[in-house]
Amino acid sequence: MIRWMWAFLDRPTQRFDDCAKFWSTVTGTELSARRGENDEFLTLLPDPALFAAAGVKMQAVTGLGGVHLDLDVDDIPASVRAALDLGAELVANHPDYAVLRSPGGQTFCFTPSGRATSTPAPAVAAPDGTLTRLDQVCLDIGPSDYTTETDFWKSLTGWPFHQARLPEFARLKSTEPLPIHLLLQRLGEDRPTSAHVDIASADIDASANWHESLGATIVDRHEHWIVMSDPADAPYCLTSRPPTPN
């Protein structure tokens, strides 16, 4: 059973500080102290007055970076065995966590449960009052892998599966109050599965303008979402959804 899910933003070392400042601002959080052998990790911490637990972490990496998931579980070895039986690949097995890849190539980790025991952080207000909330990781899946990858995440999470209004989208959403849920997107072309984060917004155009002022760039506009890139040119989306915890 997944006790907590983290969105992990992996960003290039040379642009990490700018990205950390950007994501801290748009999520209304404070940056934790850096940690790790090379000070490569940090957590985006909600205001302590909210009595809410964090759900987003960041890692400075070589290369272009991306997004991976950390899944807090009670029994890491058992979770690894279950994931392998479902078609995952073990990348690295550490004393206190394991790194795996889904059948389509998405990196994720099993990490110890018990570190996050509160409720997810609420929506945050931009300077103009627009409410937003980073609450979703979208898995971008090629058509050839879509069925296998969808079945994998359905089985791994055990969460209810919901088909979205558009046929290329579906959701996996926990019945427990977790900070992150999953959107599955079927792409038009084959490529390894990757991920980006989605921010629910009460007004995506207002949010896009604010994010642009902080160093983001508008990439593409759709009726219900806007594709953005952050200061490290990593994609994310502003989506027209109620920015409230599940």
Side-chain angles (χ1 to χ4, degrees):
M1 179 181 180
I2 297 171
R3 302 294 184 180
W4 201 255
M5 180 176 281
W6 301 83
F8 227 118
L9 310 182
D10 304 314
R11 296 296 184 261
T13 299
Q14 64 271 26
R15 305 178 77 174
F16 187 78
D17 289 340
D18 288 342
C19 281
K21 181 180 179 181
F22 172 82
W23 285 105
S24 173
T25 301
V26 301
T27 56
T29 55
E30 296 293 330
L31 301 177
S32 74
R34 299 277 283 267
R35 60 188 181 276
E37 184 177 348
N38 300 301
D39 290 334
E40 68 270 36
F41 299 109
L42 61 77
T43 303
L44 302 182
L45 299 172
D47 185 340
L50 298 174
F51 298 101
V56 183
K57 295 183 178 181
M58 298 187 68
Q59 178 181 9
V61 298
T62 58
L64 298 177
V67 172
H68 76 268
L69 296 164
D70 271 13
L71 313 179
D72 286 3
V73 294
D74 293 333
D75 188 331
I76 292 175
S79 297
V80 169
R81 288 193 296 272
L84 295 179
D85 288 344
L86 293 171
E89 173 190 358
L90 182 63
V91 177
N93 205 4
H94 299 274
D96 57 347
Y97 70 99
V99 184
L100 300 96
R101 270 194 292 266
S102 71
Q106 174 60 43
T107 301
F108 66 99
C109 298
F110 285 126
T111 44
S113 63
R115 297 175 297 170
T117 57
S118 186
T119 56
V124 298
D128 67 354
T130 301
L131 294 177
T132 62
R133 185 168 179 269
L134 195 167
D135 66 342
Q136 185 168 269
V137 168
C138 179
L139 300 176
D140 303 309
I141 309 168
S144 296
D145 291 330
Y146 187 77
T147 298
T148 299
E149 192 78 353
T150 299
D151 289 344
F152 172 80
W153 289 104
K154 286 168 64 175
S155 298
L156 187 72
T157 63
W159 295 350
F161 178 82
H162 305 278
Q163 185 63 50
R165 287 179 298 174
L166 297 176
E168 65 268 33
F169 293 104
R171 284 191 174 85
L172 285 169
K173 194 168 185 178
S174 173
T175 56
E176 300 296 323
L178 298 185
I180 300 295
H181 57 265
L182 298 178
L183 181 71
L184 310 175
Q185 179 180 12
R186 186 178 66 246
L187 303 176
E189 59 184 9
D190 279 321
R191 68 184 194 195
T193 302
S194 60
H196 67 267
V197 292
D198 287 343
I199 297 176
S201 172
D203 184 333
I204 57 175
D205 291 307
S207 294
N209 291 337
W210 181 43
H211 286 210
E212 275 194 302
S213 75
L214 297 170
T217 303
I218 294 175
V219 176
D220 198 11
R221 290 182 181 269
H222 299 267
E223 182 179 0
H224 300 295
W225 71 92
I226 299 176
V227 183
M228 308 287 295
S229 63
D230 74 3
D233 298 326
Y236 68 99
C237 290
L238 298 167
T239 65
S240 183
R241 295 178 291 116
T244 53
N246 60 340

